[in-house]
Amino acid sequence: MILLDSQQILAAIGRSLETHVLPSLDDELAQTQVHAALTALAEVSHRLEHGDPYVEANTRLETGLRSLATETQGESPELAAQIETALTAAAGIDDPRERNRSLGEALTGLLGRDDPGVARVRQLLEQEASRIAGEDSTWMCTAAIESLQ
């Protein structure tokens, strides 16, 4: 296996599970577990090829927030400043998931403000959450979810 790269190893494991393990299983729960494992292997392979999805999500969110801070500067300079503060604080965080958490916490703190621009912050967050949910749905194992019902 040392001659193979990570994606080739994951693909070989997936093929083995699909070809040899899955057909030999009579137990429905065991089959569901193998389907879930195959889905997880596909997601890991995708991340190896395309990187952590939070990098792209953070870029979209930060771009939207910068635009929002610029647009709201005249009508809501305090909100614009708080958005800029959140962006500046997050910029120093290398880990994409920690960066996203930091931005999320800072923005959640803004949502309680009585400011007309807050609705736009909420809308931006909701749009990004919807986009992430849609992208995540690719990696949901329907059989595993159905087995919980």
Side-chain angles (χ1 to χ4, degrees):
M1 291 283 222
I2 198 166
L3 299 177
L4 302 177
D5 67 28
S6 297
Q7 288 189 318
Q8 291 171 323
I9 293 169
L10 291 172
I13 293 168
R15 281 191 308 274
S16 178
L17 287 171
E18 283 182 304
T19 305
H20 304 291
V21 176
L22 196 56
S24 69
L25 296 174
D26 294 327
D27 180 20
E28 197 172 314
L29 179 60
Q31 291 173 351
T32 299
Q33 293 299 309
V34 171
H35 282 293
L38 289 167
T39 302
L41 287 172
E43 182 176 5
V44 170
S45 180
H46 184 270
R47 286 185 185 195
L48 285 171
E49 184 176 348
H50 300 285
D52 190 325
Y54 270 97
V55 172
E56 188 176 321
N58 289 344
T59 299
R60 284 190 307 257
L61 183 58
E62 291 168 8
T63 300
L65 287 169
R66 278 190 196 88
S67 294
L68 183 58
T70 301
E71 293 167 16
T72 59
Q73 182 62 43
E75 67 190 51
S76 193
E78 188 178 327
L79 178 64
Q82 288 179 318
I83 292 171
E84 288 295 341
T85 299
L87 287 166
T88 301
I93 302 171
D94 291 331
D95 179 79
R97 291 167 185 273
E98 272 302 304
R99 187 177 187 134
N100 188 272
R101 185 197 56 74
S102 174
L103 275 172
E105 287 177 359
L107 296 174
T108 300
L110 296 177
L111 295 178
R113 290 175 40 98
D114 184 25
D115 189 300
V118 169
R120 293 170 66 191
V121 172
R122 181 175 285 110
Q123 180 184 20
L124 185 65
L125 288 173
E126 288 171 356
Q127 286 173 341
E128 190 56 33
S130 291
R131 178 179 280 134
I132 288 171
E135 291 172 0
D136 270 357
S137 68
T138 302
W139 310 116
M140 299 292 175
C141 179
T142 308
I145 293 169
E146 289 172 354
S147 74
L148 298 174
Q149 297 177 7

